[in-house]
Coordinates of all heavy atoms in Angstrom, one line a residue:
P1283 N 4.7 -4.4 -3.6 CA 5.5 -3.3 -3.9 C 5.7 -2.4 -2.6 O 4.9 -2.5 -1.7 CB 4.7 -2.5 -4.9 CG 3.4 -3.1 -4.9 CD 3.4 -4.4 -4.3
N1284 N 6.7 -1.6 -2.6 CA 7.0 -0.7 -1.5 C 6.3 0.6 -1.8 O 6.7 1.3 -2.7 CB 8.5 -0.5 -1.3 CG 9.1 -1.8 -0.8 OD1 8.5 -2.6 -0.1 ND2 10.4 -2.0 -1.1
F1285 N 5.3 0.9 -1.0 CA 4.6 2.1 -1.2 C 5.0 3.1 -0.1 O 5.3 2.7 1.0 CB 3.1 1.9 -1.1 CG 2.4 1.3 -2.2 CD1 1.1 0.8 -2.1 CD2 3.1 1.1 -3.5 CE1 0.5 0.2 -3.2 CE2 2.5 0.6 -4.5 CZ 1.2 0.1 -4.4
N1286 N 5.0 4.4 -0.4 CA 5.1 5.4 0.7 C 3.8 5.9 1.0 O 2.8 5.5 0.4 CB 6.1 6.5 0.3 CG 5.7 7.3 -1.0 OD1 4.5 7.3 -1.3 ND2 6.6 7.9 -1.6
D1287 N 3.7 6.9 1.9 CA 2.4 7.3 2.3 C 1.6 8.1 1.2 O 0.4 8.0 1.1 CB 2.5 8.2 3.6 CG 3.4 9.4 3.4 OD1 4.3 9.4 2.6 OD2 3.1 10.4 4.2
V1288 N 2.3 8.7 0.3 CA 1.7 9.3 -0.8 C 1.0 8.3 -1.8 O -0.1 8.5 -2.2 CB 2.7 10.2 -1.6 CG1 2.0 10.8 -2.9 CG2 3.2 11.4 -0.7
N1289 N 1.8 7.2 -2.0 CA 1.2 6.2 -2.9 C 0.0 5.6 -2.3 O -1.0 5.3 -3.0 CB 2.2 5.0 -3.1 CG 3.5 5.5 -3.8 OD1 4.6 5.2 -3.4 ND2 3.3 6.2 -4.9
V1290 N 0.0 5.3 -1.0 CA -1.2 4.7 -0.3 C -2.4 5.6 -0.3 O -3.5 5.2 -0.7 CB -0.8 4.3 1.1 CG1 -2.0 3.9 1.9 CG2 0.2 3.1 1.1
A1291 N -2.1 6.9 0.0 CA -3.2 7.9 0.0 C -3.8 8.0 -1.4 O -5.0 8.1 -1.6 CB -2.7 9.2 0.5
T1292 N -3.0 8.0 -2.4 CA -3.4 8.2 -3.8 C -4.3 6.9 -4.2 O -5.3 7.1 -4.9 CB -2.2 8.3 -4.8 OG1 -1.5 9.5 -4.4 CG2 -2.7 8.4 -6.2
A1293 N -3.8 5.8 -3.8 CA -4.6 4.5 -4.1 C -6.0 4.6 -3.5 O -6.9 4.2 -4.1 CB -3.8 3.3 -3.7
F1294 N -6.0 4.9 -2.2 CA -7.3 5.0 -1.6 C -8.2 6.0 -2.3 O -9.4 5.8 -2.5 CB -7.2 5.5 -0.1 CG -7.1 4.3 0.9 CD1 -5.8 3.9 1.3 CD2 -8.2 3.6 1.3 CE1 -5.7 2.9 2.2 CE2 -8.0 2.6 2.2 CZ -6.8 2.2 2.7
S1295 N -7.6 7.2 -2.7 CA -8.4 8.2 -3.3 C -8.9 7.7 -4.7 O -10.0 8.0 -5.0 CB -7.5 9.4 -3.5 OG -8.2 10.5 -4.2
K1296 N -8.1 7.0 -5.4 CA -8.5 6.4 -6.7 C -9.7 5.5 -6.5 O -10.6 5.5 -7.3 CB -7.4 5.7 -7.4 CG -6.3 6.7 -7.9 CD -6.8 7.6 -9.0 CE -5.6 8.5 -9.4 NZ -6.1 9.6 -10.3
F1297 N -9.6 4.6 -5.5 CA -10.7 3.7 -5.2 C -12.0 4.5 -5.0 O -13.1 4.2 -5.5 CB -10.5 2.8 -4.0 CG -9.7 1.6 -4.3 CD1 -8.5 1.3 -3.7 CD2 -10.1 0.7 -5.2 CE1 -7.7 0.2 -4.0 CE2 -9.4 -0.5 -5.5 CZ -8.2 -0.7 -4.9
G1298 N -11.9 5.6 -4.2 CA -13.0 6.5 -4.0 C -13.6 7.1 -5.2 O -14.8 7.3 -5.3
K1299 N -12.8 7.4 -6.2 CA -13.2 8.0 -7.4 C -13.8 7.0 -8.4 O -14.7 7.3 -9.2 CB -12.1 8.8 -8.1 CG -11.7 10.0 -7.3 CD -10.5 10.7 -8.0 CE -10.1 11.9 -7.1 NZ -8.9 12.6 -7.7
L1300 N -13.4 5.8 -8.3 CA -13.8 4.7 -9.2 C -15.1 4.0 -8.8 O -15.6 3.2 -9.5 CB -12.7 3.7 -9.4 CG -11.4 4.2 -10.1 CD1 -10.4 3.1 -10.1 CD2 -11.8 4.5 -11.6
L1301 N -15.6 4.3 -7.6 CA -16.7 3.5 -7.1 C -18.0 3.6 -7.9 O -18.8 2.7 -7.8 CB -17.0 3.9 -5.6 CG -17.4 5.3 -5.3 CD1 -18.9 5.4 -5.4 CD2 -17.0 5.6 -3.9
R1302 N -18.1 4.6 -8.8 CA -19.3 4.7 -9.6 C -19.2 3.8 -10.8 O -20.2 3.6 -11.5 CB -19.5 6.1 -10.1 CG -19.8 7.0 -9.0 CD -20.1 8.4 -9.5 NE -20.1 9.4 -8.4 CZ -21.2 9.9 -7.9 NH1 -22.4 9.5 -8.4 NH2 -21.2 10.7 -6.9
A1303 N -18.0 3.2 -11.1 CA -17.9 2.3 -12.3 C -18.7 1.1 -12.1 O -18.8 0.5 -11.0 CB -16.4 2.0 -12.5
R1304 N -19.3 0.6 -13.1 CA -20.1 -0.6 -13.1 C -19.4 -1.9 -12.5 O -19.9 -2.7 -11.9 CB -20.7 -1.0 -14.4 CG -21.8 0.0 -14.8 CD -22.4 -0.4 -16.1 NE -23.5 0.5 -16.4 CZ -24.6 0.1 -17.1 NH1 -24.6 -1.1 -17.6 NH2 -25.5 1.0 -17.3
W1305 N -18.1 -2.0 -12.9 CA -17.3 -3.1 -12.5 C -16.8 -3.0 -11.1 O -16.2 -4.0 -10.6 CB -16.1 -3.3 -13.5 CG -15.3 -2.0 -13.6 CD1 -15.4 -1.1 -14.6 CD2 -14.3 -1.6 -12.7 NE1 -14.5 -0.1 -14.4 CE2 -13.8 -0.4 -13.3 CE3 -13.7 -2.1 -11.6 CZ2 -12.8 0.4 -12.6 CZ3 -12.7 -1.3 -11.0 CH2 -12.2 -0.1 -11.5
F1306 N -17.0 -1.9 -10.4 CA -16.5 -1.8 -9.0 C -17.2 -2.8 -8.1 O -18.4 -2.9 -8.2 CB -16.8 -0.3 -8.5 CG -15.9 0.1 -7.3 CD1 -14.7 0.6 -7.5 CD2 -16.4 -0.1 -6.0 CE1 -13.9 0.9 -6.5 CE2 -15.6 0.3 -5.0 CZ -14.3 0.8 -5.2
P1307 N -16.5 -3.5 -7.3 CA -17.1 -4.5 -6.4 C -18.1 -4.0 -5.4 O -18.0 -2.8 -5.0 CB -15.9 -5.1 -5.7 CG -14.7 -4.4 -6.1 CD -15.0 -3.4 -7.1
R1308 N -19.0 -4.8 -5.1 CA -20.0 -4.4 -4.1 C -19.4 -4.2 -2.7 O -19.9 -3.3 -2.0 CB -21.1 -5.5 -3.9 CG -22.0 -5.6 -5.1 CD -23.0 -6.7 -4.8 NE -24.1 -6.6 -5.8 CZ -25.3 -6.0 -5.6 NH1 -25.5 -5.4 -4.5 NH2 -26.2 -6.0 -6.5
N1309 N -18.4 -5.0 -2.4 CA -17.7 -4.8 -1.1 C -16.2 -4.8 -1.4 O -15.6 -5.9 -1.4 CB -18.1 -5.8 -0.1 CG -17.4 -5.7 1.2 OD1 -16.8 -4.6 1.5 ND2 -17.3 -6.7 2.0
I1310 N -15.6 -3.6 -1.5 CA -14.2 -3.5 -1.9 C -13.3 -4.1 -0.8 O -12.2 -4.6 -1.0 CB -13.8 -2.1 -2.2 CG1 -12.4 -2.0 -2.8 CG2 -14.0 -1.2 -1.0 CD1 -12.2 -2.6 -4.1
A1311 N -13.8 -4.1 0.5 CA -13.0 -4.7 1.6 C -12.8 -6.2 1.5 O -11.9 -6.7 2.1 CB -13.7 -4.4 2.9
A1312 N -13.6 -6.8 0.6 CA -13.4 -8.3 0.4 C -12.3 -8.6 -0.6 O -11.9 -9.7 -0.7 CB -14.7 -8.9 0.0
E1313 N -11.9 -7.6 -1.3 CA -10.9 -7.7 -2.4 C -9.5 -7.8 -1.8 O -9.1 -7.0 -0.9 CB -11.0 -6.6 -3.4 CG -12.3 -6.5 -4.1 CD -12.5 -7.7 -5.0 OE1 -11.6 -8.1 -5.7 OE2 -13.7 -8.1 -5.1
E1314 N -8.7 -8.7 -2.2 CA -7.4 -8.9 -1.7 C -6.5 -7.7 -1.9 O -5.7 -7.3 -1.0 CB -6.7 -10.1 -2.3 CG -5.3 -10.5 -1.7 CD -5.3 -10.8 -0.2 OE1 -6.3 -11.3 0.3 OE2 -4.3 -10.5 0.4
S1315 N -6.6 -7.0 -3.0 CA -5.7 -5.9 -3.3 C -6.1 -4.7 -2.3 O -5.2 -4.0 -1.8 CB -5.9 -5.4 -4.7 OG -7.3 -5.1 -5.0
F1316 N -7.3 -4.6 -2.0 CA -7.7 -3.5 -1.0 C -7.3 -3.9 0.4 O -6.8 -3.0 1.1 CB -9.3 -3.3 -1.1 CG -9.7 -2.1 -0.3 CD1 -9.5 -0.8 -0.9 CD2 -10.3 -2.2 0.9 CE1 -9.9 0.3 -0.2 CE2 -10.7 -1.1 1.6 CZ -10.5 0.2 1.1
R1317 N -7.4 -5.1 0.7 CA -6.9 -5.6 2.0 C -5.4 -5.3 2.2 O -4.9 -4.9 3.2 CB -7.2 -7.0 2.3 CG -8.6 -7.3 2.5 CD -8.9 -8.8 2.7 NE -10.3 -9.0 3.0 CZ -10.8 -9.8 3.9 NH1 -10.0 -10.5 4.6 NH2 -12.1 -9.9 4.0
R1318 N -4.6 -5.6 1.1 CA -3.2 -5.3 1.2 C -2.9 -3.8 1.3 O -2.0 -3.4 2.0 CB -2.5 -5.9 -0.1 CG -2.3 -7.4 -0.1 CD -1.3 -7.9 -1.1 NE -1.6 -7.3 -2.4 CZ -2.3 -8.0 -3.4 NH1 -2.8 -9.2 -3.1 NH2 -2.4 -7.4 -4.6
L1319 N -3.7 -3.0 0.7 CA -3.6 -1.6 0.8 C -3.9 -1.1 2.2 O -3.2 -0.3 2.8 CB -4.6 -0.9 -0.2 CG -4.5 0.6 -0.3 CD1 -3.1 1.1 -0.7 CD2 -5.6 1.2 -1.2
M1320 N -4.9 -1.7 2.8 CA -5.2 -1.3 4.2 C -4.1 -1.7 5.2 O -3.7 -1.0 6.1 CB -6.5 -2.0 4.7 CG -7.7 -1.4 4.1 SD -9.3 -1.9 4.8 CE -9.4 -3.6 4.5
V1321 N -3.5 -2.9 4.9 CA -2.3 -3.4 5.7 C -1.2 -2.4 5.6 O -0.5 -2.0 6.5 CB -1.9 -4.8 5.4 CG1 -0.6 -5.2 6.0 CG2 -3.0 -5.8 5.8
S1322 N -0.9 -2.0 4.3 CA 0.2 -1.0 4.1 C -0.1 0.3 4.9 O 0.8 0.9 5.5 CB 0.3 -0.7 2.6 OG 0.8 -1.8 1.9
N1323 N -1.3 0.8 4.8 CA -1.7 2.0 5.5 C -1.5 1.8 7.0 O -0.9 2.6 7.7 CB -3.1 2.4 5.2 CG -3.5 3.6 6.0 OD1 -3.1 4.7 5.6 ND2 -4.3 3.5 7.0
N1324 N -1.9 0.7 7.5 CA -1.8 0.4 9.0 C -0.4 0.3 9.4 O 0.0 0.9 10.5 CB -2.6 -0.9 9.4 CG -4.0 -0.8 9.1 OD1 -4.6 0.3 8.7 ND2 -4.7 -1.9 9.2
D1325 N 0.5 -0.3 8.6 CA 1.9 -0.4 8.9 C 2.5 1.0 9.0 O 3.3 1.3 9.9 CB 2.6 -1.3 7.9 CG 2.2 -2.8 8.0 OD1 1.6 -3.1 9.0 OD2 2.6 -3.5 7.1
M1326 N 2.2 1.8 8.0 CA 2.7 3.2 8.0 C 2.3 4.0 9.2 O 3.0 4.7 9.8 CB 2.4 3.9 6.7 CG 3.1 3.4 5.5 SD 2.7 4.4 4.1 CE 2.6 3.1 2.9
C1327 N 1.0 3.8 9.5 CA 0.5 4.6 10.7 C 1.1 4.1 12.0 O 1.3 4.9 12.9 CB -1.0 4.4 10.8 SG -1.9 5.3 9.5
A1328 N 1.5 2.8 12.1 CA 2.1 2.3 13.3 C 3.5 2.6 13.4 O 4.1 2.6 14.5 CB 1.9 0.8 13.3
A1329 N 4.2 2.9 12.3 CA 5.6 3.2 12.3 C 5.9 4.5 13.1 O 5.2 5.4 13.0 CB 6.2 3.3 10.9
A1330 N 7.0 4.4 13.8 CA 7.4 5.6 14.6 C 8.0 6.6 13.6 O 8.6 6.2 12.6 CB 8.4 5.2 15.7
G1331 N 8.0 7.8 13.9 CA 8.6 8.8 13.1 C 7.7 9.7 12.4 O 6.4 9.6 12.5
P1332 N 8.2 10.6 11.6 CA 7.3 11.6 10.8 C 6.6 10.9 9.7 O 7.0 11.0 8.5 CB 8.3 12.6 10.4 CG 9.6 11.9 10.2 CD 9.6 10.8 11.3
L1333 N 5.6 10.1 10.0 CA 4.9 9.3 9.0 C 4.0 10.1 8.1 O 4.3 10.5 7.0 CB 4.2 8.2 9.7 CG 2.9 7.7 9.0 CD1 3.2 6.9 7.9 CD2 2.1 7.0 10.0
N1334 N 2.8 10.3 8.6 CA 1.7 10.8 7.8 C 1.6 12.3 8.0 O 1.6 12.8 9.1 CB 0.4 10.2 8.2 CG 0.4 8.7 8.0 OD1 0.8 8.3 6.9 ND2 0.0 8.0 9.0
D1335 N 1.4 13.0 6.9 CA 1.1 14.4 7.1 C -0.5 14.4 7.1 O -1.1 13.4 6.9 CB 1.6 15.3 6.0 CG 1.1 14.9 4.6 OD1 0.4 13.9 4.4 OD2 1.3 15.7 3.7
A1336 N -1.0 15.6 7.4 CA -2.5 15.7 7.6 C -3.2 15.3 6.3 O -4.3 14.8 6.3 CB -2.8 17.1 8.0
R1337 N -2.6 15.6 5.1 CA -3.2 15.3 3.9 C -3.4 13.8 3.7 O -4.4 13.4 3.2 CB -2.3 15.9 2.7 CG -3.0 15.8 1.4 CD -2.2 16.5 0.3 NE -1.4 17.6 0.8 CZ -0.2 18.0 0.4 NH1 0.4 17.3 -0.6 NH2 0.4 19.0 0.9
H1338 N -2.4 13.0 4.0 CA -2.5 11.5 3.9 C -3.7 11.0 4.7 O -4.6 10.3 4.2 CB -1.2 10.9 4.4 CG -1.4 9.4 4.5 ND1 -1.1 8.5 3.5 CD2 -1.8 8.6 5.6 CE1 -1.3 7.3 3.9 NE2 -1.8 7.3 5.2
V1339 N -3.8 11.5 6.0 CA -4.8 11.0 6.9 C -6.2 11.5 6.3 O -7.1 10.7 6.3 CB -4.6 11.6 8.3 CG1 -5.8 11.2 9.2 CG2 -3.3 11.0 8.9
A1340 N -6.3 12.7 5.9 CA -7.5 13.2 5.3 C -8.0 12.5 4.1 O -9.1 12.1 3.9 CB -7.4 14.7 5.1
N1341 N -7.0 12.2 3.2 CA -7.4 11.6 1.9 C -7.9 10.1 2.1 O -8.9 9.7 1.5 CB -6.2 11.6 1.0 CG -5.9 12.9 0.4 OD1 -6.8 13.8 0.4 ND2 -4.7 13.1 -0.2
V1342 N -7.2 9.4 3.0 CA -7.6 8.0 3.2 C -8.9 8.0 4.0 O -9.8 7.2 3.6 CB -6.5 7.3 4.0 CG1 -7.0 5.9 4.4 CG2 -5.2 7.2 3.2
T1343 N -9.1 8.8 5.0 CA -10.3 8.8 5.7 C -11.5 9.2 4.8 O -12.6 8.6 4.9 CB -10.2 9.8 6.9 OG1 -9.1 9.5 7.7 CG2 -11.5 9.8 7.8
H1344 N -11.3 10.2 4.0 CA -12.3 10.7 3.0 C -12.7 9.5 2.1 O -13.9 9.3 1.8 CB -11.9 11.9 2.3 CG -12.9 12.4 1.3 ND1 -12.9 12.2 0.0 CD2 -14.0 13.1 1.5 CE1 -13.9 12.7 -0.6 NE2 -14.6 13.3 0.3
A1345 N -11.7 8.8 1.5 CA -12.0 7.8 0.6 C -12.8 6.6 1.3 O -13.8 6.1 0.7 CB -10.7 7.2 0.0
I1346 N -12.5 6.3 2.5 CA -13.2 5.3 3.2 C -14.6 5.7 3.5 O -15.6 4.9 3.3 CB -12.5 4.9 4.5 CG1 -11.2 4.1 4.2 CG2 -13.4 4.1 5.5 CD1 -10.3 3.9 5.5
A1347 N -14.8 7.0 3.9 CA -16.2 7.5 4.1 C -17.0 7.5 2.8 O -18.2 7.1 2.8 CB -16.1 8.9 4.7
K1348 N -16.4 7.9 1.7 CA -17.1 8.0 0.5 C -17.5 6.6 0.0 O -18.7 6.4 -0.5 CB -16.1 8.6 -0.6 CG -16.8 9.0 -1.8 CD -15.8 9.8 -2.7 CE -16.3 10.2 -4.0 NZ -15.4 10.9 -4.8
M1349 N -16.6 5.6 0.1 CA -17.0 4.2 -0.3 C -18.1 3.6 0.6 O -19.0 2.9 0.1 CB -15.8 3.3 -0.4 CG -14.8 3.7 -1.5 SD -13.4 2.6 -1.6 CE -12.3 3.3 -0.4
S1350 N -18.0 3.9 1.9 CA -19.0 3.4 2.8 C -20.3 4.0 2.6 O -21.4 3.3 2.5 CB -18.5 3.7 4.3 OG -19.5 3.3 5.2
K1351 N -20.4 5.3 2.3 CA -21.6 6.0 2.1 C -22.3 5.5 0.8 O -23.5 5.4 0.7 CB -21.4 7.5 2.0 CG -22.7 8.3 1.8 CD -22.5 9.8 1.7 CE -23.8 10.5 1.4 NZ -23.6 11.9 1.2
A1352 N -21.5 5.2 -0.2 CA -22.0 4.6 -1.5 C -22.4 3.2 -1.4 O -22.9 2.6 -2.3 CB -21.0 4.8 -2.6
G1353 N -22.2 2.6 -0.2 CA -22.6 1.2 0.0 C -21.6 0.2 -0.6 O -21.9 -1.0 -0.9
K1354 N -20.4 0.6 -0.9 CA -19.4 -0.2 -1.6 C -18.3 -0.7 -0.6 O -17.4 -1.4 -1.0 CB -18.7 0.6 -2.7 CG -19.6 1.1 -3.8 CD -20.1 -0.1 -4.6 CE -20.8 0.4 -5.8 NZ -21.1 -0.6 -6.8
L1355 N -18.4 -0.3 0.6 CA -17.4 -0.8 1.6 C -18.2 -1.2 2.9 O -18.8 -0.3 3.6 CB -16.5 0.4 1.9 CG -15.4 0.1 3.0 CD1 -14.4 -1.0 2.5 CD2 -14.6 1.4 3.3
V1356 N -18.1 -2.5 3.2 CA -18.7 -2.9 4.4 C -17.7 -2.7 5.5 O -16.5 -3.1 5.4 CB -19.0 -4.5 4.3 CG1 -19.5 -5.0 5.7 CG2 -20.1 -4.7 3.3
I1357 N -18.1 -2.1 6.6 CA -17.2 -1.8 7.7 C -17.0 -3.1 8.5 O -17.8 -3.4 9.4 CB -17.7 -0.6 8.6 CG1 -18.0 0.6 7.8 CG2 -16.7 -0.3 9.7 CD1 -16.8 1.2 7.1
D1358 N -15.9 -3.8 8.3 CA -15.6 -5.0 9.0 C -14.4 -4.8 9.9 O -14.0 -3.6 10.1 CB -15.3 -6.2 8.0 CG -14.1 -5.9 7.1 OD1 -13.4 -4.9 7.3 OD2 -13.8 -6.8 6.3
V1359 N -13.9 -5.8 10.5 CA -12.8 -5.7 11.4 C -11.5 -5.0 10.8 O -10.9 -4.2 11.4 CB -12.4 -7.1 12.0 CG1 -11.1 -7.0 12.8 CG2 -13.5 -7.7 12.8
N1360 N -11.2 -5.4 9.6 CA -10.1 -4.8 8.9 C -10.2 -3.3 8.7 O -9.3 -2.6 8.8 CB -9.8 -5.5 7.5 CG -9.5 -7.0 7.7 OD1 -8.8 -7.4 8.6 ND2 -10.1 -7.8 6.9
V1361 N -11.4 -2.9 8.3 CA -11.7 -1.5 8.1 C -11.6 -0.7 9.4 O -11.0 0.4 9.5 CB -13.0 -1.2 7.4 CG1 -13.3 0.2 7.2 CG2 -13.0 -1.9 6.0
R1362 N -12.1 -1.3 10.4 CA -12.1 -0.7 11.8 C -10.6 -0.6 12.2 O -10.2 0.4 12.8 CB -12.8 -1.5 12.8 CG -14.3 -1.4 12.6 CD -15.1 -2.2 13.7 NE -16.4 -2.5 13.4 CZ -17.4 -1.7 13.4 NH1 -17.2 -0.4 13.7 NH2 -18.6 -2.0 13.1
E1363 N -9.8 -1.6 11.9 CA -8.3 -1.5 12.3 C -7.7 -0.3 11.5 O -6.8 0.4 12.0 CB -7.6 -2.8 11.9 CG -7.9 -3.9 12.9 CD -7.3 -5.2 12.5 OE1 -6.6 -5.2 11.5 OE2 -7.5 -6.2 13.2
T1364 N -8.1 -0.1 10.2 CA -7.5 1.0 9.4 C -8.0 2.3 10.0 O -7.1 3.2 10.1 CB -7.9 0.8 8.0 OG1 -7.4 -0.4 7.5 CG2 -7.5 2.0 7.1
L1365 N -9.2 2.4 10.4 CA -9.7 3.7 11.0 C -9.0 3.9 12.3 O -8.7 5.1 12.6 CB -11.2 3.6 11.2 CG -12.0 3.6 9.8 CD1 -13.5 3.3 10.1 CD2 -11.8 4.9 9.1
A1366 N -8.7 2.9 13.1 CA -8.0 3.1 14.4 C -6.6 3.5 14.1 O -6.1 4.4 14.8 CB -8.0 1.8 15.2
A1367 N -6.0 3.0 13.1 CA -4.6 3.4 12.8 C -4.6 4.8 12.3 O -3.6 5.6 12.7 CB -4.0 2.5 11.7
L1368 N -5.6 5.3 11.6 CA -5.7 6.6 11.1 C -5.9 7.6 12.3 O -5.3 8.7 12.3 CB -6.8 6.8 10.1 CG -6.5 6.2 8.7 CD1 -7.8 6.1 7.9 CD2 -5.5 7.0 8.0
E1369 N -6.6 7.1 13.3 CA -6.9 7.9 14.5 C -5.5 8.2 15.2 O -5.2 9.3 15.7 CB -7.9 7.3 15.4 CG -8.2 8.1 16.6 CD -9.2 7.4 17.5 OE1 -9.6 6.2 17.3 OE2 -9.7 8.0 18.5
I1370 N -4.7 7.1 15.3 CA -3.4 7.3 16.0 C -2.5 8.2 15.2 O -1.9 9.1 15.7 CB -2.7 5.9 16.1 CG1 -3.5 5.0 17.1 CG2 -1.3 6.0 16.5 CD1 -3.1 3.6 17.1
A1371 N -2.6 8.1 13.9 CA -1.8 9.0 13.0 C -2.2 10.4 13.1 O -1.4 11.3 13.1 CB -1.8 8.5 11.6
T1372 N -3.5 10.6 13.2 CA -4.1 11.9 13.4 C -3.5 12.6 14.7 O -3.1 13.8 14.7 CB -5.6 11.9 13.5 OG1 -6.1 11.3 12.3 CG2 -6.2 13.3 13.7
T1373 N -3.5 11.8 15.8 CA -3.0 12.3 17.0 C -1.5 12.7 16.8 O -1.1 13.8 17.3 CB -3.1 11.3 18.1 OG1 -4.5 10.9 18.2 CG2 -2.6 11.8 19.4
R1374 N -0.7 11.9 16.1 CA 0.7 12.2 15.9 C 0.8 13.4 15.1 O 1.7 14.3 15.3 CB 1.4 11.0 15.3 CG 2.9 11.1 15.3 CD 3.6 9.9 14.9 NE 2.9 8.7 15.0 CZ 2.9 7.7 14.1 NH1 3.7 7.9 13.0 NH2 2.3 6.6 14.2
V1375 N 0.0 13.6 14.1 CA 0.1 14.8 13.2 C -0.3 16.0 14.0 O 0.4 17.1 13.9 CB -0.9 14.7 12.0 CG1 -1.0 16.0 11.3 CG2 -0.4 13.6 11.0
E1376 N -1.3 15.9 14.9 CA -1.7 17.1 15.7 C -0.5 17.4 16.7 O -0.2 18.6 16.8 CB -2.9 16.7 16.5 CG -4.2 16.7 15.7 CD -5.4 16.3 16.6 OE1 -5.2 16.0 17.8 OE2 -6.5 16.2 16.0
M1377 N 0.1 16.4 17.3 CA 1.2 16.7 18.2 C 2.4 17.3 17.5 O 3.0 18.2 18.0 CB 1.6 15.4 18.9 CG 0.5 14.9 19.9 SD 0.9 13.3 20.6 CE 2.5 13.5 21.3
S1378 N 2.7 16.8 16.3 CA 3.9 17.4 15.6 C 3.6 18.8 15.1 O 4.5 19.6 15.1 CB 4.3 16.5 14.5 OG 3.3 16.5 13.5
S1379 N 2.4 19.1 14.8 CA 2.1 20.5 14.3 C 2.1 21.5 15.5 O 2.4 22.6 15.3 CB 0.8 20.5 13.5 OG -0.3 20.2 14.4
T1380 N 1.7 21.0 16.7 CA 1.7 21.9 17.8 C 3.1 22.2 18.3 O 3.4 23.2 18.9 CB 0.9 21.4 19.0 OG1 1.4 20.1 19.4 CG2 -0.6 21.3 18.6
C1381 N 4.1 21.3 17.9 CA 5.5 21.5 18.3 C 6.1 22.7 17.6 O 7.1 23.3 18.1 CB 6.3 20.3 18.0 SG 5.9 18.9 19.1
F1382 N 5.5 23.1 16.4 CA 6.1 24.1 15.6 C 5.5 25.5 15.9 O 5.8 26.5 15.3 CB 6.0 23.8 14.1 CG 6.8 22.6 13.8 CD1 6.2 21.4 13.4 CD2 8.2 22.6 13.8 CE1 6.9 20.3 13.1 CE2 8.9 21.5 13.4 CZ 8.3 20.3 13.1
E1383 N 4.5 25.5 16.7 CA 3.8 26.8 17.0 C 4.5 27.6 18.0 O 5.3 27.2 18.8 CB 2.3 26.5 17.5 CG 1.5 25.9 16.4 CD 0.1 25.6 16.9 OE1 -0.2 25.7 18.1 OE2 -0.7 25.3 16.0

């Protein structure tokens, strides 16, 4: 499906909220649906233009941290790529917000 940045941030946030469920996988990063979500996020972060607002970056980063702290997300190469993409998006958000000051 075609997701926008709000859909992707919401999906990450929902994963972060569901991690206490008994059926939640031990390592969500190994799940194909989560990997596709990370790819969507990375693609959006790499796209030029007014992509992510600060809320998107914060929500996705917070969900990753929450799942990692709970032991439900193993930080592998794919997760590191997502964090790197978020770092680039953060820089872009900072730069765009300083342009309006």
Side-chain angles (χ1 to χ4, degrees):
N1284 291 331
F1285 286 168
N1286 63 23
D1287 58 335
V1288 174
N1289 299 131
V1290 170
T1292 300
F1294 270 99
S1295 181
K1296 292 294 182 189
F1297 275 122
K1299 290 178 183 176
L1300 292 172
L1301 63 87
R1302 293 181 193 260
R1304 288 185 175 207
W1305 53 264
F1306 199 86
R1308 289 182 167 263
N1309 179 18
I1310 190 68
E1313 299 293 321
E1314 184 60 32
S1315 60
F1316 190 77
R1317 287 179 181 222
R1318 285 194 310 264
L1319 184 63
M1320 288 192 296
V1321 168
S1322 293
N1323 180 76
N1324 298 353
D1325 291 347
M1326 285 183 219
C1327 289
L1333 149 75
N1334 300 311
D1335 64 349
R1337 190 175 327 146
H1338 169 92
V1339 174
N1341 286 346
V1342 174
T1343 305
H1344 180 258
I1346 289 172
K1348 192 173 179 180
M1349 288 183 278
S1350 177
K1351 183 178 179 186
K1354 299 290 188 170
L1355 178 68
V1356 175
I1357 305 298
D1358 63 4
V1359 173
N1360 297 320
V1361 177
R1362 289 184 200 282
E1363 287 175 1
T1364 298
L1365 292 171
L1368 288 166
E1369 183 178 9
I1370 291 167
T1372 301
T1373 304
R1374 194 170 338 139
V1375 168
E1376 287 175 1
M1377 289 174 55
S1378 67
S1379 66
T1380 58
C1381 293
F1382 296 110
E1383 291 180 353

